[in-house]
Structures are given as structure tokens and as C-alpha cells.
């Protein structure tokens, strides 16, 4: 099983609500990164939001190794300018078992600020996600500890946003952000955002690379089967997860829109 590079091809592989799971698939090297990145958009993204780059001294050697892997010179920031994906590096400090975020080059975040996360261990990084500690944390820790150089693993997710911009930093409460959304206009006013995430261990430094490829499309542009999936999934988000995503503010409109498409 592989993962595509668009919302429509990613959604069938994403979790459709219910209990959290990693949902990993294995990729070939040729499937790792988007083959034709818009480098001008990447440069503009970092120029508009320089705080998306956060580095610790520990990131220097892994960052240089990564830059060479993606065919450029420099370190983590230069690597992120050469690919479509946002890039994060994690390592374990001597005497510690936990992985920490040691560097982030993120032009298009999904409701997070790297400056607030840099240096934190995995569980603290994921603290806002409802159900992570109870359902996912132990499995993620085990996966990170046993990941070998070579294999590439991937997963994807989805969010509903009130904007089609790649950088998504909600500045208003959901009830305000989605106030204009109705069943009649949901196809144009709701935007489906999917992260194509990959994980691999760098062979020389042993750091773990986490990539995040961002794809955004209006709800109405998606296939009928994906619209139907979202209409069902929004009703089965884990307790608390829907609130964090603002689901109560848009769910009725999305569900009704999906039912109309199905009919």
C-alpha cells in the first residue's frame, strides 16, 4: 500500500474517526517525498513566517546529513527549502530514553508553533491531542526505539479548516471561524487539510526525521466517497478530539452536505 500526494488520494488511507492509531504503511524510497515541489512557495512560506525554523545546537550534524540526503548543501533550514515537506528532527540525549524535538523547519503548520515545542519530549509534543497518552503513546515510543535506518514509514490524517491557506494557525474561536458555513455553501467554505507524514532514521547520526507534507482542498472538490467518509468520521471522533478541531461549529453543515451529495 502506498500514499499519494493529494487530499483525494490520502483520505482513503486516513483514520475515519474512532480510536487513535498510528496507521503506518511502508514506502519505497521513490515514494518518500513529493517529486515536484513548488520551491518558490516554500521560500515564500519561510520568508512570511521565519519563526517556523527552530533549532537547538544538537541539530547541526543531523541537519547536515539530511541536507545531503535531499540534494542540497547546508543544514535543516536549507533542506526544508529544497522539498515540499516540513521537516522535524528528533534524537535521544545521552542517558535518556525519550526522543526530543531538536530542530524544526515548518512553513505550513497545522495549528502548532515550533517555538513552543522545541526541546520537548514526544509525549509533551502530543499533549494537546485527546487520547494520545492513553491510546497511542506507548506504541509510538516503542516504534521510535526500534526504528532502523533504511525503512521509511508513512501515515496521513485530516482536519477541517475554515481557510484554504497552507499555513493554518486559527486565530479565532471555531464558532466565529465557521460562522459563515451552511449546508448550502459547505462545499466552498470548508477546506479539508491532510498531512502526509513520514518517519525514517538517518543512517549516520541516528536521528529520526519526521516529514509533514501539507495538502488542502475545498470539501466540494473531493470525490463523493471521500465526502461520505468525512460526513461519517466527524460523528465518531474520540471524545475531546472533535472539540479541539472545532467540529461542533461545522459538523451539522458537513454532515448535511455529505448526505446531499450521497443522494
Amino acid at each position: 500500500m502506498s500514499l499519494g500526494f493529494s487530499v483525494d488520494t490520502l483520505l482513503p488511507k486516513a483514520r475515519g474517526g474512532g480510536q487513535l492509531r498510528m496507521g503506518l504503511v511502508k514506502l519505497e524510497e521513490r515514494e518518500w517525498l513529493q517529486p515536484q515541489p513548488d520551491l518558490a512557495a516554500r521560500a515564500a512560506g519561510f520568508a512570511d513566517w521565519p519563526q517556523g525554523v527552530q533549532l537547538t545546537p544538537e541539530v547541526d550534524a543531523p541537519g547536515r546529513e539530511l541536507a545531503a540526503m535531499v540534494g542540497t548543501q547546508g543544514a535543516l533550514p536549507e533542506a526544508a527549502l529544497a522539498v515540499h515537506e516540513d521537516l522535524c528532527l528528533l534524537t535521544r540525549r545521552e542517558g535518556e530514553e525519550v526522543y526530543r524535538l531538536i530542530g524544526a523547519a515548518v512553513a505550513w503548520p497545522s495549528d502548532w508553533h515550533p517555538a513552543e515545542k522545541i526541546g520537548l519530549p514526544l509525549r509533551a509534543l502530543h499533549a494537546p491531542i485527546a487520547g494520545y497518552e492513553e491510546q497511542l503513546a506507548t506504541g509510538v515510543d516503542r516504534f521510535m526505539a526500534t526504528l532502523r535506518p533504511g525503512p521509511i514509514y508513512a501515515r496521513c490524517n485530516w482536519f477541517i479548516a475554515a481557510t484554504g491557506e497552507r499555513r493554518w494557525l486559527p486565530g479565532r474561536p471555531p464558532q466565529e471561524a465557521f460562522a459563515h458555513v451552511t449546508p448550502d455553501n459547505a462545499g466552498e467554505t470548508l477546506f479539508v487539510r491532510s498531512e502526509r507524514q513520514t518517519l525514517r532514521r538517518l543512517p549516520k547520526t541516528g536521528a529520526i526525521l519526521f516529514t509533514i507534507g501539507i495538502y488542502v482542498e475545498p470539501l466540494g472538490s473531493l470525490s463523493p466517497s471521500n465526502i461520505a467518509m468525512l460526513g461519517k468520521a466527524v460523528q465518531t471522533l474520540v471524545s475531546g478530539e472533535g472539540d479541539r478541531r472545532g467540529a461542533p461549529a461545522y459538523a451539522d453543515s458537513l454532515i448535511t452536505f455529505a448526505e446531499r451529495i450521497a443522494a
Side-chain angles (χ1 to χ4, degrees):
M1 181 186 295
S2 185
L3 291 179
F5 295 94
S6 69
V7 177
D8 248 342
T9 57
L10 290 169
L11 282 180
K13 314 295 196 313
R15 180 177 66 94
Q19 182 166 332
L20 298 181
R21 56 184 176 82
M22 290 188 72
L24 295 174
V25 300
K26 199 171 182 180
L27 299 182
E28 301 290 335
E29 184 75 31
R30 59 183 172 79
E31 302 170 310
W32 177 33
L33 302 175
Q34 181 174 307
Q36 295 180 314
D38 183 343
L39 300 186
R42 294 294 290 165
F46 284 111
D48 293 343
W49 204 60
Q51 58 266 49
V53 176
Q54 298 290 328
L55 310 172
T56 69
E58 300 160 277
V59 82
D60 184 54
R64 284 186 279 110
E65 181 182 8
L66 172 57
M69 286 176 65
V70 299
T72 191
Q73 295 182 337
L76 180 59
E78 289 75 25
L81 285 168
V83 297
H84 172 81
E85 290 77 9
D86 288 333
L87 306 175
C88 297
L89 285 166
L90 303 100
T91 60
R92 286 188 295 194
R93 292 173 179 166
E94 188 174 350
E96 286 189 350
E97 293 297 319
V98 299
Y99 278 84
R100 295 180 179 274
L101 180 66
I102 60 167
V106 179
W108 301 323
S110 295
D111 193 18
W112 69 289
H113 293 264
E116 298 174 357
K117 304 289 187 178
I118 193 72
L120 293 182
L122 268 177
R123 296 194 181 210
L125 286 173
H126 292 97
I129 300 176
Y132 179 87
E133 182 66 30
E134 301 81 7
Q135 301 174 22
L136 213 54
T138 300
V140 172
D141 290 345
R142 186 181 305 114
F143 172 83
M144 299 284 278
T146 57
L147 181 61
R148 296 174 290 106
I152 305 169
Y153 293 92
R155 66 183 300 273
C156 57
N157 59 20
W158 60 269
F159 306 89
I160 302 296
T163 174
E165 296 295 320
R166 284 175 170 151
R167 183 182 305 113
W168 181 43
L169 295 169
R172 296 178 293 163
Q175 293 295 340
E176 290 182 21
F178 294 104
H180 61 298
V181 178
T182 69
D184 293 329
N185 68 20
E188 295 78 45
T189 58
L190 291 180
F191 294 86
V192 184
R193 179 183 185 89
S194 187
E195 295 178 328
R196 184 185 191 270
Q197 305 171 347
T198 77
L199 284 156
R200 70 185 301 178
R201 189 180 293 278
L202 303 189
K204 294 180 181 178
T205 58
I208 290 181
L209 170 65
F210 179 58
T211 77
I212 312 163
I214 297 296
Y215 301 91
V216 189
E217 293 290 343
L219 174 66
S221 72
L222 302 182
S223 68
S225 60
N226 277 331
I227 294 173
M229 183 278 281
L230 291 169
K232 293 176 182 176
V234 77
Q235 303 176 56
T236 58
L237 296 176
V238 227
S239 177
E241 184 184 7
D243 293 337
R244 188 177 71 88
R245 293 186 177 185
Y250 66 75
D252 288 345
S253 294
L254 191 158
I255 292 165
T256 302
F257 178 80
E259 290 172 345
R260 290 177 181 176
I261 294 295

